[in-house]
Amino acid sequence: MKIVTVAGSRAEAEAVSQVSRRIRESHEEVFVFCPPVDDLPAEALWGDGLGLARPRHQWVVRAETPARRAADLMVRLERVVRRERPDVVLVQGGGEAAMAGAVVAAQLHFASAHLEAGLRAPQVCAQDDVHRRVADRLASFRFCATAAGAETLQREGLGDGVHVVGDAAWDALETAQAQAPERAATLQELGLAEGGYYLAVVWLPEREHGAEKLAAWLTALEGLSLPVALLLHPRARLVMHEREITLPTGVDVLKPLGLSEMLVVEAGAKAIVTDAPAVQREAIFVGTACVAVGEPAWPEAGGARGAAPAEMAAALEAVPGPEGDNQPFGDGRASERVVEILSGGTTPAEPQETQD
Amino acid sequence: MALAGNPQVTMIVGSGRDLIRATPLYRALRARGQVGLSLVLTGHERDADLASWYFRGLAPPQPDGLLEPGGGTRTERTARILAACETFLRHRPTDLVVLQGASDAILSCAVVCKQQGLAVAHLEAGLRSPGRATDSAVCEVVDDLSDCWSAPWPQAAAALAEEGHPPERILDCGNLMVDTLAAYREAAEAVSWEGLEQGEEYGVMAIGGSPILDNPINLRKMAQAAEALAEDVRLVCPLGPDARRRLEMWNLKEALEGAGDILLPDAKGFLDTFGLVGRALFVITDSGDLQDQASFLDVPCVTVAESTDRLITLERGTNVVVGRDAAALVGECEAVLEGRRRRSDLPAEWDGQAAGRIAHALEDAARRAAEKRRGTR
């Protein structure tokens, strides 16, 4: 079996990492990595113990606008899929890459598989919701992290090809946890005290009005009772740089972190505030209280509390301990199931092909 | 002409045939004057040449904009429309986008509209082929991204409801295409084709889709069926440039020309073809347009495709689907010639007045969208 795996961002690469690793154990994989920015150090991703292969194709596909990025990705992915003739094109999440991969596969009459199918979160990011819907509709394999996802697909008339496998990204968190560096030393190195800081992770999913939104974040984070460690998505960092936005006192920017380091910093925080769904899932995983700016991405997991941007400071200071039920995310064996279903459900391109 | 304060509607149509389908609605919205209206066509400049052969005798409205897919692969064209549509919409304040068609270009436009948070209405929505053919998958995606749907027949409305779309926003106002057919019925009766006398009996075979033209096995089957039928009845096979080239390429043309009573004229535009279908004993086709026309005119239709998304034509009994089975195809046509065929009445909502009903509903949708946009600003 041959799979073309498409990851359109670092978060997507991490989320798909354990599926990718298992594919390579007994099948052929062509890994395509096409992030919108190129600022992350390679070792943070490929050397993080997640077992990701170095990508066969790596492109930085800028995102001046979502439509232009999607268009650019489609044209590039088409060439890969035509050349590789895979059994399945595997996409994850709700980025432009997931939609582009599914559209290309459908137009060339190849099967596609969508991880995180059935998730509907227009309130988290309306644009990603569009990409998710398209990928779900066109995919031959719809892998849901939760039973709620499968119910959503059923309601939309997409009952075929649905598999509730658990959350493959959760598998990646367990793997990263097992590799995590020693906590006290890591925190010390970053100048953080256990339980003595808030962690703010800013993603800014919608591209419009980035500067205003970032300014609102920083205003809200000023004058909290604890120092704030701030992690910025590259897009947010670019906005800060371009518009020369300065940091308020008590807020310091962290360098980009690999997933296992990230888990340590999340675990050591008093509480987390973020607009990024991946970070909300990590907060549930490490058991740290989390405020979701806007709406929680995983309401069924019960981890994050939503807060309007203006209320985030109050919500952060008031937030009690975590009270999550992480069962909806599965048992850490989602990746195994995905690969099992993919290899059982497809015919190899060449019948004489032997598994190595 | 955009009236100040009125909600703005942008209609995007996928192709020339989509333009013909959407024209009655465009005219109705314009005549009622409740919304500012602009019209965009996706396609090449030559497709937009509204004086060209395809539009002869129709005088469709002139588009305000053209989204050009350029050349290259299907995916490259889809990608180019994504970028072009985004640029177009960024410079045109719009409350509601009305999409006609289920082409790749329309899929791109639906994605861009939703990325920009615009309300979308899809005309000719809910078309589903049994077996989920690729084209019906495109229609499904566009429907999934839309906020309001005009279902041409009850089966389409039911399909949309089954996919969880809110019934109150599924418009069951009738088939827009019928408005065009009803308006041009008389004009079509006056068309003439070289070699055909008034009152002469004939069958029509009109094939233009790639599943047959691009596949020599399928094309040979169709040619052989045509030769067999031409033994019993005069058969008119309008050939587009592609069809003619393929027949030559695969050495099928000579045998066809030598067959019994057969005419192989150049394919003509919408109105001429409609006229040709109207007087035919039967129509063999892979085209959705001709299935609609035959059904409207109660001419028996044999569809040479794996399935059809025009379920109402099957239910009415005016259409049968035979795949690419040449024997079944000949059998169906022989049955017609022997007088064994069903006749049926037009559905009540095929009154040629769908455009007015749809326009009324879309004005409401545009007003709601405009209020919502103003509210969020």
Side-chain angles (χ1 to χ4, degrees):
Chain A
M1 182 174 68
K2 185 176 188 178
I3 309 262
V4 167
T5 306
V6 182
S9 66
R10 175 170 142 185
E12 284 177 23
E14 287 167 353
V16 82
S17 62
Q18 299 314 295
V19 179
S20 165
R21 190 169 59 79
R22 283 189 180 273
I23 291 170
R24 276 179 287 114
E25 281 172 7
S26 45
H27 305 282
E28 187 184 351
E29 188 196 41
V30 176
F31 194 82
V32 182
F33 183 51
C34 38
V37 282
D38 62 352
D39 74 325
L40 43 113
E43 63 276 12
L45 188 54
W46 318 119
D48 200 38
L50 288 174
L52 276 169
R54 287 219 171 241
R56 188 90 60 92
H57 305 277
Q58 179 163 355
W59 319 304
V60 175
V61 179
R62 307 256 170 225
E64 288 98 20
T65 69
R68 277 179 198 281
R69 175 163 147 85
D72 194 347
L73 285 170
M74 281 168 62
V75 172
R76 291 165 184 259
L77 285 171
E78 185 196 16
R79 292 188 198 126
V80 173
V81 173
R82 273 185 192 278
R83 188 166 54 235
E84 304 290 351
R85 308 193 61 75
D87 294 289
V88 179
V89 176
L90 177 67
V91 300
Q92 196 273 342
E96 290 90 358
M99 175 177 75
V103 168
V104 166
Q107 292 191 335
L108 297 175
H109 304 287
F110 287 91
S112 63
H114 187 208
L115 288 176
E116 224 178 74
L119 184 68
R120 296 287 173 269
Q123 73 289 358
V124 175
C125 176
Q127 286 162 357
D128 282 7
D129 198 63
V130 174
H131 309 143
R132 280 178 198 287
R133 284 175 169 278
V134 176
D136 276 349
R137 193 100 349 224
L138 296 175
S140 336
F141 297 90
R142 304 177 175 116
F143 292 115
C144 299
T146 65
E151 282 159 24
T152 302
L153 293 178
Q154 189 73 43
R155 264 199 310 278
E156 295 176 0
L158 291 177
D160 293 344
V162 173
H163 306 274
V164 180
V165 290
D167 186 7
W170 196 261
D171 302 5
L173 296 182
E174 295 199 336
T175 306
Q177 180 84 310
Q179 324 261 347
E182 208 266 313
R183 183 142 144 191
T186 308
L187 292 182
Q188 195 180 10
E189 202 178 300
L190 294 167
L192 300 169
E194 173 86 38
Y197 61 96
Y198 293 122
L199 176 66
V201 187
V202 184
W203 177 40
L204 301 184
E206 312 275 0
R207 287 158 186 84
E208 286 78 27
H209 313 296
E212 291 87 325
K213 284 179 187 161
L214 183 60
W217 268 92
L218 295 178
T219 309
L221 295 176
E222 191 170 11
L224 292 182
S225 61
L226 291 175
V228 176
L230 180 64
L231 266 173
L232 295 172
H233 183 279
R235 190 161 49 232
R237 194 159 45 235
L238 195 70
V239 167
M240 190 168 94
H241 185 73
E242 279 175 359
R243 307 290 284 267
E244 295 177 2
I245 297 172
T246 49
L247 291 175
T249 19
V251 179
D252 281 309
V253 174
L254 289 178
K255 66 171 172 100
L257 302 173
L259 185 57
S260 48
E261 259 184 319
M262 180 72 177
L263 291 177
V264 170
V265 172
E266 286 166 334
K270 168 89 169 154
I272 300 171
V273 58
T274 186
D275 58 353
V279 174
Q280 293 170 35
R281 172 168 38 208
E282 288 156 19
I284 295 167
F285 181 79
V286 298
T288 301
C290 182
V291 173
V293 173
E295 295 283 328
W298 323 100
E300 69 269 36
R305 256 154 293 264
E311 297 156 3
M312 73 170 93
L316 197 54
E317 300 270 31
V319 80
E323 40 172 61
D325 160 26
N326 64 34
Q327 279 313 301
F329 287 116
D331 54 4
R333 293 180 54 211
S335 309
E336 202 178 307
R337 290 192 198 97
V338 166
V339 178
E340 210 174 275
I341 291 164
L342 285 179
S343 49
T346 61
T347 336
E350 292 159 357
Q352 72 273 23
E353 187 179 80
T354 50
Q355 296 186 345
D356 53 14
Chain B
M1 208 74 53
L3 301 175
N6 278 348
Q8 297 297 309
V9 173
T10 300
M11 277 181 94
I12 307 181
V13 300
S15 65
R17 63 166 285 281
D18 289 320
L19 178 59
I20 290 175
R21 284 170 181 262
T23 294
L25 175 63
Y26 177 85
R27 294 207 169 114
L29 283 170
R30 175 129 298 193
R32 295 162 59 92
Q34 304 292 305
V35 295
L37 187 61
S38 52
L39 177 67
V40 181
L41 182 64
T42 73
H44 295 283
E45 201 157 354
R46 62 167 187 277
D47 304 323
D49 178 6
L50 304 185
S52 75
W53 60 276
Y54 184 72
F55 296 101
R56 194 191 72 81
L58 292 182
Q62 194 67 38
D64 305 296
L66 180 65
L67 304 178
E68 288 196 85
T73 65
R74 185 177 172 190
T75 301
E76 285 165 352
R77 284 176 275 131
T78 309
R80 242 175 252 121
I81 295 287
L82 270 176
C85 181
E86 183 183 62
T87 307
F88 183 88
L89 288 176
R90 276 188 192 278
H91 296 104
R92 182 149 317 223
T94 296
D95 297 301
L96 176 72
V97 178
V98 179
L99 300 175
Q100 160 67 39
S103 58
D104 293 337
I106 290 298
L107 169 63
S108 291
C109 295
V111 166
V112 171
C113 290
K114 295 323 286 181
Q115 281 178 335
Q116 298 193 8
L118 296 172
V120 172
H122 189 207
L123 305 177
E124 233 180 21
L127 268 54
R128 303 285 180 270
S129 315
R132 301 190 74 223
T134 321
D135 290 346
S136 107
V138 172
C139 187
E140 262 186 71
V141 176
V142 176
D143 286 340
D144 193 38
L145 297 177
S146 298
D147 307 283
C148 172
W149 304 264
S150 170
W153 38 76
Q155 294 90 336
L160 289 165
E162 255 168 54
E163 287 163 20
H165 300 304
E168 69 275 13
R169 284 190 268 134
I170 301 171
L171 314 177
D172 198 358
C173 297
N175 186 352
L176 256 186
M177 184 58 166
V178 168
D179 289 20
T180 299
L181 297 179
Y184 286 100
R185 185 172 198 159
E186 225 165 277
E189 278 166 8
V191 305
S192 66
W193 285 70
E194 203 179 328
L196 280 182
E197 301 296 328
Q198 200 71 32
E200 208 173 343
E201 293 202 321
Y202 59 87
V204 170
M205 181 188 257
I207 288 169
S210 58
I212 291 178
L213 293 190
D214 292 350
N215 181 332
I217 297 168
N218 286 340
L219 191 61
R220 178 178 303 276
K221 280 191 212 162
M222 293 304 117
Q224 284 166 348
E227 286 161 35
L229 284 168
E231 297 296 317
D232 300 327
V233 66
R234 165 158 276 205
L235 191 66
V236 185
C237 309
L239 297 179
D242 276 353
R244 207 174 278 283
R245 201 165 44 238
R246 297 295 152 80
L247 286 171
E248 271 164 28
M249 191 155 79
W250 289 314
N251 297 319
L252 297 167
K253 193 159 167 252
E254 221 162 282
L256 208 53
E257 282 168 343
D261 192 4
I262 200 161
L263 287 179
L264 302 170
D266 286 333
K268 295 195 200 178
F270 178 87
L271 193 61
D272 295 282
T273 309
F274 183 34
L276 183 70
V277 167
R279 293 196 292 269
L281 294 169
F282 60 80
V283 178
I284 301 160
T285 192
D286 57 353
S287 139
D289 273 351
L290 265 59
Q291 293 173 51
D292 282 351
Q293 293 175 13
S295 202
F296 175 71
L297 297 163
D298 206 17
V299 172
C301 181
V302 184
T303 296
V304 282
E306 293 307 330
S307 62
T308 181
D309 54 18
R310 317 190 112 68
L311 298 179
I312 194 161
T313 63
L314 296 181
E315 186 176 273
R316 297 189 57 223
T318 47
N319 190 9
V320 287
V321 175
V322 296
R324 280 101 202 191
D325 183 338
L329 162 58
V330 173
E332 289 292 342
C333 296
E334 300 286 359
V336 172
L337 295 177
E338 288 159 17
R340 289 184 280 121
R341 51 159 298 195
R342 275 172 63 187
R343 286 198 166 270
S344 84
D345 299 321
L346 282 183
E349 63 272 25
W350 286 24
D351 55 0
Q353 305 297 321
R357 293 188 289 263
I358 296 172
H360 183 77
L362 292 186
E363 285 161 2
D364 285 347
R367 220 168 287 128
R368 279 196 307 272
E371 279 161 20
K372 201 168 153 198
R373 277 167 71 78
R374 273 194 288 273
T376 54
R377 258 179 221 140

